[in-house]
Amino acid sequence: MIRIKKIAISIILMCFCCVYSGFVYAERLIVGLSGTIFKNNVKTHSFYVDKCDKVYVPITFSRGELEIVLYDPQNKRIDHMIAGSSSDIEYKKAEQNGLTLKGSYYIIKNPLPGEWKIEVSCLDAPKDGVNYGIEVSAEGGFVIESLLPESISCNSGEELLVSARFGGTASIKSIEIVANISALGSKEIFKTVSLWDDGGHFDGQKGDGVYANKFKVDLPPSLRYHIYISARGSAKDGNQFSRDIVP
C-alpha cells in the first residue's frame, strides 16, 4: 500500500505581527532574499512580478538603520516620499520595540508586470554589519488550486487521478500545468505528470478550468509521497506568469 499526501493547498495569509505589528505578507510568496550590509553600502536585488492585484515588499533587520527603494520595470523610482503622494503605494516604517525587529514595507497596487529592483541602503551599522531579510509576496491575479484529497492510499500498479483548478483561463494565451511527485522530505522528483483541460484526460469539459490526468502508480511502496502542482504560461497581454503549490 502506497500513501500519497497532498501538499497543504490553502495558502495562508500570514500576518507579520508575530514579529512587530502592522507588517503583512500576501497569499503568494514570490521570492525570499537576504544579505549582510555595512555602513554606507548599497545592495541591489531583483524579482519578477506577473499579473497580480498587489505586491508586498517588506524588509526586516535587528539593528542599524536600513532603507529600501524600489524600481519598477520602467526604472521608475519608488521611495517613501513618492509613496506618500500616491494612492496606489503604501509605505510603513516600524521602529524596534524591545525584542522585536526593525523594518519597513511597501504595498503596491496593480504593479507593472516585469522585473523589479530593490535597492537596500545602509545608513548606520555596527562594524560587523547588519543582516536583513526580504520576502516579496503577491495577492490576486491567476490562482491555482489542487483538487486532491488530503491523503491518498493506493496500491502499486493502480491508476491515480490528479487534478487542479486554474482561475483566470479567459486571460491566458498558453499554459502548462504539471503534477510533480516526490518523497516526503525530499526535493527529488520521482515522476512528473502533465495535466490537461481538453475534455479527454478525466478533466470534465474542455475549457472549464479543471486540469487533470491519470498515471500508473509505480513508486517504491516503502516511502510516503507529496504531489505538488506547478503552472507556467503566458497571458494574452504577452506577460509570463508562474504559480506553484509546493511543500
Side-chain angles (χ1 to χ4, degrees):
M1 180 73 69
I2 297 174
R3 293 186 61 82
I4 300 178
K5 184 175 179 59
K6 181 194 74 172
I7 296 304
I9 297 307
S10 299
I11 306 301
I12 301 171
L13 180 64
M14 297 180 291
C15 181
F16 208 21
C17 62
C18 59
V19 181
Y20 47 91
S21 73
F23 281 62
V24 295
Y25 293 107
E27 60 192 14
R28 177 172 58 88
L29 179 66
I30 295 177
V31 66
L33 305 165
S34 62
T36 301
I37 192 169
F38 298 88
K39 187 175 180 179
N40 298 326
N41 284 0
V42 176
K43 283 198 170 186
T44 302
H45 302 276
S46 62
F47 62 94
Y48 186 88
V49 172
D50 57 38
K51 178 180 173 61
C52 63
D53 298 330
K54 294 180 182 180
V55 65
Y56 294 64
V57 187
I59 184 171
T60 59
F61 51 95
S62 60
R63 53 185 182 165
E65 189 62 36
L66 304 185
E67 182 179 82
I68 58 172
V69 172
L70 306 180
Y71 292 87
D72 72 11
Q74 297 178 350
N75 207 34
K76 178 182 177 182
R77 178 186 171 97
I78 299 174
D79 57 27
H80 66 281
M81 296 292 291
I82 292 174
S85 60
S86 173
S87 59
D88 289 331
I89 305 171
E90 178 183 346
Y91 173 83
K92 185 171 183 178
K93 184 176 181 179
E95 297 297 332
Q96 194 170 24
N97 182 13
L99 298 177
T100 60
L101 297 177
K102 304 171 71 174
S104 58
Y105 73 74
Y106 292 91
I107 300 177
I108 302 171
K109 298 178 183 178
N110 301 311
L112 284 175
E115 186 177 37
W116 286 65
K117 293 182 181 179
I118 307 172
E119 187 178 88
V120 183
S121 300
C122 183
L123 307 180
D124 189 27
K127 290 184 178 181
D128 56 347
V130 175
N131 297 321
Y132 64 87
I134 302 171
E135 290 201 354
V136 182
S137 56
E139 178 181 305
F142 300 115
V143 178
I144 187 170
E145 174 191 9
S146 172
L147 300 179
L148 290 170
E150 287 297 329
S151 62
I152 307 167
S153 297
C154 55
N155 294 312
S156 181
E158 291 183 350
E159 285 193 328
L160 179 65
L161 176 65
V162 181
S163 58
R165 180 181 290 111
F166 187 84
T169 53
S171 301
I172 65 172
K173 180 179 179 181
S174 63
I175 188 171
E176 179 185 17
I177 299 180
V178 299
N180 294 305
I181 304 164
S182 63
L184 181 64
S186 172
K187 294 184 179 180
E188 180 183 358
I189 297 174
F190 284 95
K191 184 183 287 289
T192 296
V193 180
S194 295
L195 307 185
W196 304 92
D197 182 17
D198 58 0
H201 288 82
F202 312 97
D203 55 286
Q205 294 184 349
K206 179 180 179 180
D208 63 359
V210 175
Y211 291 74
N213 204 354
K214 284 186 176 182
F215 73 95
K216 183 173 290 187
V217 178
D218 53 1
L219 306 171
S222 59
L223 299 176
R224 299 186 67 184
Y225 298 89
H226 277 317
I227 297 177
Y228 61 97
I229 310 297
S230 178
R232 300 287 185 273
S234 60
K236 289 182 178 179
D237 59 10
N239 289 301
Q240 304 297 305
F241 66 87
S242 63
R243 295 292 184 273
D244 296 286
I245 303 173
V246 298

